[in-house]
Amino acid sequence: MSTISSSIASSLTLKSAKPSLFSSSLCPSSVGFKQSVAGPGFFGTQLKLRAFHEGAPSASPSSRSNAVASAASGSKFSKKEDVVVAGTGVQELSMKERADCTGVQELHVYEINERDRRSPAYLRLSQKQVNSLGDLVPFTNKIYSGNLEKRLGISAGICILIQHVPEKKGDRYEATYSIYFGDYGHISIQGPYLTYEDTYLAVTGGSGIFKGARGQVKLHQLIFPFKIFYTFYLEGIPPLPAELLGEPVPPSPAVEPTPAAKATEPHATIPNFTN
C-alpha cells in the first residue's frame, strides 16, 4: 500500500507551494479533492475527483484531471486507496495519513438549552418520586462555537441515571450522545456525566472531518441543565478548520451567543449547520 501511495504521490504535480501531502511528517491541514481508485485491475476507470469546499487548488480543472490521470496510468490497485490532493476542507484521508495525525487538538464549544426544543425529557422508568437508577433522560440542545460567534449544530443523545447523590444535590448519569457540526460531520461521546462537578468523557469516533477521532472531552457544567462548556482533546484527525476554532469566551453562567449566531444569520453559522 505504501508503494502505491509513493507511486501516486510522485505522479501528482500541482501548482502549489505546499509540501507533499504524502510526507509521513505532515498531517494535511486542508484537502479539497479526493481520488478514489477501487477494485483489482482498475487504473483510471473509476477515478473520482470531488471538491468539498471553496478555496480549492489554483490548478485548473483540466490540469487537476491530468494529474489524476497521470497518477493512475500504468498502475493497478488490488484494494481501495484514497489519494489526497491539496486544497481546503478535509473530508477523507487514507489509513496511513490518519495514522500520521497524532497531535492533540483542542476544540471548545458551548451547549445551550434555549428552552425551545422541549428538552430534556425525563422518563421515570423507576416509577419513584426521586431520581433513581434506570431513569432515562433523552435530550437535544443547541451547539455554539467557543467564541459564541457561530451556531454549529446540536447535541443529541440519552443519559441513564446511575446514582442519585443527594449530599451533592445532583446525579450521576451514563451518557451516550453526539455533537453535530453540519457538513463537517459529528463527534460521538460516551461516559460519566455528573451534574455537580466537571467530568471527562471518551471521544469514541465521528464522521466527516472527525472520522477516526479519539481522545476525551472535559464537560464543565455552568447551569444545569441549560449551559455546558466543552473542551475536546482530539487525536487522529487532520487540523480543524478555522471557523470551528477561535479564542473561547471564558465560561460563566452569564455567557450568551451573539445575536447573529442566535438568529442563525448566514455569516454566523457553518455550512448546513445541524438544527
Side-chain angles (χ1 to χ4, degrees):
M1 187 69 73
S2 60
T3 303
I4 293 172
S5 296
S6 300
S7 174
I8 294 173
S10 63
S11 301
L12 290 174
T13 304
L14 296 178
K15 298 177 181 178
S16 173
K18 294 182 180 180
S20 169
L21 294 181
F22 299 89
S23 167
S24 61
S25 62
L26 176 65
C27 177
S29 61
S30 56
V31 176
F33 298 89
K34 186 188 80 172
Q35 172 194 357
S36 297
V37 186
F42 277 73
F43 48 93
T45 57
Q46 288 196 3
L47 293 179
K48 295 181 181 179
L49 193 63
R50 180 158 64 93
F52 290 103
H53 296 286
E54 294 180 359
S58 57
S60 68
S62 60
S63 63
R64 288 196 295 269
S65 299
N66 291 338
V68 172
S70 66
S73 61
S75 301
K76 293 187 178 182
F77 300 85
S78 59
K79 59 174 68 176
K80 182 176 179 180
E81 176 74 6
D82 288 339
V83 180
V84 178
V85 184
T88 63
V90 171
Q91 184 72 10
E92 275 194 47
L93 297 177
S94 70
M95 292 293 289
K96 179 183 182 303
E97 288 159 337
R98 286 193 172 277
D100 291 338
C101 298
T102 55
V104 177
Q105 300 181 72
E106 287 190 23
L107 171 64
H108 305 277
V109 302
Y110 279 95
E111 180 182 18
I112 300 180
N113 184 331
E114 296 180 346
R115 300 167 176 83
D116 59 351
R117 303 178 70 88
R118 299 184 178 180
S119 173
Y122 202 97
L123 309 178
R124 291 194 179 277
L125 300 190
S126 66
Q127 299 183 352
K128 296 181 179 179
Q129 293 295 322
V130 297
N131 296 353
S132 301
L133 176 66
D135 290 348
L136 300 181
V137 186
F139 66 93
T140 175
N141 297 309
K142 295 177 182 179
I143 299 295
Y144 293 92
S145 58
N147 59 15
L148 292 168
E149 294 178 2
K150 281 187 180 287
R151 171 74 186 281
L152 304 180
I154 62 168
S155 61
I158 192 166
C159 293
I160 304 172
L161 195 139
I162 301 301
Q163 182 184 19
H164 179 52
V165 189
E167 64 273 20
K168 294 188 177 181
K169 299 181 180 179
D171 297 298
R172 179 189 181 97
Y173 291 92
E174 183 67 17
T176 302
Y177 60 111
S178 296
I179 291 182
Y180 292 88
F181 297 84
D183 284 352
Y184 289 118
H186 83 283
I187 299 175
S188 297
I189 302 166
Q190 185 172 10
Y193 168 37
L194 280 61
T195 64
Y196 48 84
E197 65 185 40
D198 292 353
T199 49
Y200 286 85
L201 298 86
V203 172
T204 58
S207 67
I209 66 170
F210 303 107
K211 180 181 178 182
R214 62 184 185 274
Q216 61 181 343
V217 57
K218 180 182 179 182
L219 186 159
H220 178 44
Q221 188 81 54
L222 300 174
I223 303 176
F224 174 77
F226 301 114
K227 287 182 184 177
I228 296 175
F229 180 69
Y230 292 91
T231 302
F232 286 90
Y233 302 95
L234 300 171
E235 302 176 59
I237 60 172
L240 295 168
E243 69 174 340
L244 296 184
L245 304 175
E247 188 66 26
V249 174
S252 77
V255 297
E256 290 290 341
T258 63
K262 208 166 189 177
T264 64
E265 295 180 11
H267 70 279
T269 63
I270 61 172
N272 293 320
F273 72 95
T274 313
N275 193 12

